[in-house]
PDB file of all heavy atoms in Angstrom:
ATOM      1  N   ASP A 223      -7.542 -66.160  35.041  1.00 93.00           N
ATOM      2  CA  ASP A 223      -7.859 -64.955  35.802  1.00 93.00           C
ATOM      3  C   ASP A 223      -9.072 -65.109  36.695  1.00 93.00           C
ATOM      4  O   ASP A 223      -9.174 -64.464  37.724  1.00 93.00           O
ATOM      5  CB  ASP A 223      -8.095 -63.776  34.842  1.00 93.00           C
ATOM      6  CG  ASP A 223      -6.794 -63.302  34.208  1.00 93.00           C
ATOM      7  OD1 ASP A 223      -5.736 -63.593  34.795  1.00 93.00           O
ATOM      8  OD2 ASP A 223      -6.843 -62.661  33.139  1.00 93.00           O
ATOM      9  N   GLY A 283      -7.368 -66.335  48.130  1.00 94.00           N
ATOM     10  CA  GLY A 283      -6.369 -66.821  47.178  1.00 94.00           C
ATOM     11  C   GLY A 283      -5.609 -65.665  46.568  1.00 94.00           C
ATOM     12  O   GLY A 283      -6.220 -64.690  46.116  1.00 94.00           O
ATOM     13  N   VAL A 284      -4.296 -65.775  46.557  1.00 94.00           N
ATOM     14  CA  VAL A 284      -3.469 -64.712  45.969  1.00 94.00           C
ATOM     15  C   VAL A 284      -2.377 -65.358  45.126  1.00 94.00           C
ATOM     16  O   VAL A 284      -1.634 -66.211  45.611  1.00 94.00           O
ATOM     17  CB  VAL A 284      -2.805 -63.843  47.061  1.00 94.00           C
ATOM     18  CG1 VAL A 284      -2.038 -62.698  46.413  1.00 94.00           C
ATOM     19  CG2 VAL A 284      -3.828 -63.335  48.046  1.00 94.00           C
ATOM     20  N   ARG A 285      -2.296 -64.990  43.852  1.00 95.00           N
ATOM     21  CA  ARG A 285      -1.208 -65.521  43.026  1.00 95.00           C
ATOM     22  C   ARG A 285       0.095 -64.822  43.405  1.00 95.00           C
ATOM     23  O   ARG A 285       0.100 -63.619  43.687  1.00 95.00           O
ATOM     24  CB  ARG A 285      -1.498 -65.288  41.553  1.00 95.00           C
ATOM     25  CG  ARG A 285      -2.654 -66.119  41.025  1.00 95.00           C
ATOM     26  CD  ARG A 285      -2.568 -66.335  39.530  1.00 95.00           C
ATOM     27  NE  ARG A 285      -3.762 -67.019  39.049  1.00 95.00           N
ATOM     28  CZ  ARG A 285      -3.911 -68.335  39.065  1.00 95.00           C
ATOM     29  NH1 ARG A 285      -2.949 -69.109  39.556  1.00 95.00           N
ATOM     30  NH2 ARG A 285      -5.006 -68.892  38.613  1.00 95.00           N
ATOM     31  N   GLU A 288       0.653 -61.508  41.888  1.00 92.00           N
ATOM     32  CA  GLU A 288      -0.318 -60.444  42.141  1.00 92.00           C
ATOM     33  C   GLU A 288       0.029 -59.689  43.425  1.00 92.00           C
ATOM     34  O   GLU A 288      -0.818 -59.128  44.092  1.00 92.00           O
ATOM     35  CB  GLU A 288      -1.735 -61.035  42.219  1.00 92.00           C
ATOM     36  CG  GLU A 288      -2.256 -61.458  40.848  1.00 92.00           C
ATOM     37  CD  GLU A 288      -3.487 -62.341  40.919  1.00 92.00           C
ATOM     38  OE1 GLU A 288      -3.755 -62.907  41.995  1.00 92.00           O
ATOM     39  OE2 GLU A 288      -4.167 -62.481  39.893  1.00 92.00           O
ATOM     40  N   VAL A 289       1.312 -59.713  43.763  1.00 91.00           N
ATOM     41  CA  VAL A 289       1.799 -59.096  44.991  1.00 91.00           C
ATOM     42  C   VAL A 289       2.801 -58.014  44.604  1.00 91.00           C
ATOM     43  O   VAL A 289       3.569 -58.198  43.670  1.00 91.00           O
ATOM     44  CB  VAL A 289       2.512 -60.166  45.849  1.00 91.00           C
ATOM     45  CG1 VAL A 289       3.245 -59.521  47.012  1.00 91.00           C
ATOM     46  CG2 VAL A 289       1.514 -61.205  46.339  1.00 91.00           C
ATOM     47  N   ARG A 340       1.506 -55.307  49.211  1.00 89.00           N
ATOM     48  CA  ARG A 340       0.123 -55.042  48.798  1.00 89.00           C
ATOM     49  C   ARG A 340      -0.346 -56.173  47.907  1.00 89.00           C
ATOM     50  O   ARG A 340       0.424 -56.673  47.099  1.00 89.00           O
ATOM     51  CB  ARG A 340       0.065 -53.733  48.000  1.00 89.00           C
ATOM     52  CG  ARG A 340      -0.487 -52.561  48.790  1.00 89.00           C
ATOM     53  CD  ARG A 340      -1.062 -51.499  47.873  1.00 89.00           C
ATOM     54  NE  ARG A 340      -0.092 -51.036  46.884  1.00 89.00           N
ATOM     55  CZ  ARG A 340       0.740 -50.009  47.109  1.00 89.00           C
ATOM     56  NH1 ARG A 340       0.702 -49.362  48.244  1.00 89.00           N
ATOM     57  NH2 ARG A 340       1.572 -49.627  46.183  1.00 89.00           N
ATOM     58  N   LEU A 341      -1.611 -56.573  48.077  1.00 90.00           N
ATOM     59  CA  LEU A 341      -2.165 -57.643  47.232  1.00 90.00           C
ATOM     60  C   LEU A 341      -2.974 -56.971  46.132  1.00 90.00           C
ATOM     61  O   LEU A 341      -3.984 -56.330  46.405  1.00 90.00           O
ATOM     62  CB  LEU A 341      -3.043 -58.566  48.072  1.00 90.00           C
ATOM     63  CG  LEU A 341      -2.402 -59.069  49.373  1.00 90.00           C
ATOM     64  CD1 LEU A 341      -3.377 -59.970  50.133  1.00 90.00           C
ATOM     65  CD2 LEU A 341      -1.101 -59.806  49.093  1.00 90.00           C
ATOM     66  N   ARG A 342      -2.512 -57.109  44.896  1.00 89.00           N
ATOM     67  CA  ARG A 342      -3.194 -56.413  43.790  1.00 89.00           C
ATOM     68  C   ARG A 342      -4.551 -57.019  43.512  1.00 89.00           C
ATOM     69  O   ARG A 342      -5.536 -56.328  43.323  1.00 89.00           O
ATOM     70  CB  ARG A 342      -2.338 -56.479  42.527  1.00 89.00           C
ATOM     71  CG  ARG A 342      -1.303 -55.387  42.430  1.00 89.00           C
ATOM     72  CD  ARG A 342      -0.844 -55.240  40.992  1.00 89.00           C
ATOM     73  NE  ARG A 342      -0.271 -56.480  40.501  1.00 89.00           N
ATOM     74  CZ  ARG A 342       1.045 -56.689  40.389  1.00 89.00           C
ATOM     75  NH1 ARG A 342       1.895 -55.740  40.703  1.00 89.00           N
ATOM     76  NH2 ARG A 342       1.494 -57.836  39.959  1.00 89.00           N
ATOM     77  N   THR A 343      -4.600 -58.340  43.416  1.00 90.00           N
ATOM     78  CA  THR A 343      -5.856 -59.027  43.121  1.00 90.00           C
ATOM     79  C   THR A 343      -6.023 -60.150  44.126  1.00 90.00           C
ATOM     80  O   THR A 343      -5.065 -60.874  44.389  1.00 90.00           O
ATOM     81  CB  THR A 343      -5.824 -59.665  41.723  1.00 90.00           C
ATOM     82  OG1 THR A 343      -5.304 -58.705  40.813  1.00 90.00           O
ATOM     83  CG2 THR A 343      -7.199 -60.113  41.288  1.00 90.00           C
ATOM     84  N   VAL A 344      -7.204 -60.260  44.681  1.00 91.00           N
ATOM     85  CA  VAL A 344      -7.427 -61.411  45.550  1.00 91.00           C
ATOM     86  C   VAL A 344      -8.623 -62.209  45.050  1.00 91.00           C
ATOM     87  O   VAL A 344      -9.527 -61.691  44.401  1.00 91.00           O
ATOM     88  CB  VAL A 344      -7.658 -60.997  47.021  1.00 91.00           C
ATOM     89  CG1 VAL A 344      -6.449 -60.271  47.567  1.00 91.00           C
ATOM     90  CG2 VAL A 344      -8.923 -60.183  47.167  1.00 91.00           C
ATOM     91  N   HIS A 345      -8.575 -63.528  45.316  1.00 93.00           N
ATOM     92  CA  HIS A 345      -9.686 -64.418  44.997  1.00 93.00           C
ATOM     93  C   HIS A 345     -10.245 -64.930  46.310  1.00 93.00           C
ATOM     94  O   HIS A 345      -9.517 -65.017  47.298  1.00 93.00           O
ATOM     95  CB  HIS A 345      -9.202 -65.609  44.170  1.00 93.00           C
ATOM     96  CG  HIS A 345      -8.495 -65.213  42.902  1.00 93.00           C
ATOM     97  ND1 HIS A 345      -9.095 -65.234  41.673  1.00 93.00           N
ATOM     98  CD2 HIS A 345      -7.229 -64.755  42.696  1.00 93.00           C
ATOM     99  CE1 HIS A 345      -8.230 -64.831  40.748  1.00 93.00           C
ATOM    100  NE2 HIS A 345      -7.078 -64.527  41.354  1.00 93.00           N
ATOM    101  N   ARG A 356     -16.517 -65.136  43.694  1.00 79.00           N
ATOM    102  CA  ARG A 356     -16.639 -64.078  42.710  1.00 79.00           C
ATOM    103  C   ARG A 356     -17.825 -64.394  41.792  1.00 79.00           C
ATOM    104  O   ARG A 356     -18.212 -65.546  41.638  1.00 79.00           O
ATOM    105  CB  ARG A 356     -15.370 -64.053  41.868  1.00 79.00           C
ATOM    106  CG  ARG A 356     -15.382 -63.087  40.709  1.00 79.00           C
ATOM    107  CD  ARG A 356     -14.374 -63.568  39.693  1.00 79.00           C
ATOM    108  NE  ARG A 356     -13.009 -63.341  40.168  1.00 79.00           N
ATOM    109  CZ  ARG A 356     -12.352 -62.210  39.933  1.00 79.00           C
ATOM    110  NH1 ARG A 356     -12.887 -61.245  39.245  1.00 79.00           N
ATOM    111  NH2 ARG A 356     -11.131 -62.068  40.376  1.00 79.00           N
TER     112      ARG A 356
END
Side-chain angles (χ1 to χ4, degrees):
Chain A
D223 288 339
V284 184
R285 291 204 186 275
E288 287 166 342
V289 170
R340 257 204 304 270
L341 310 179
R342 274 199 301 258
T343 314
V344 299
H345 304 259
R356 175 203 287 271

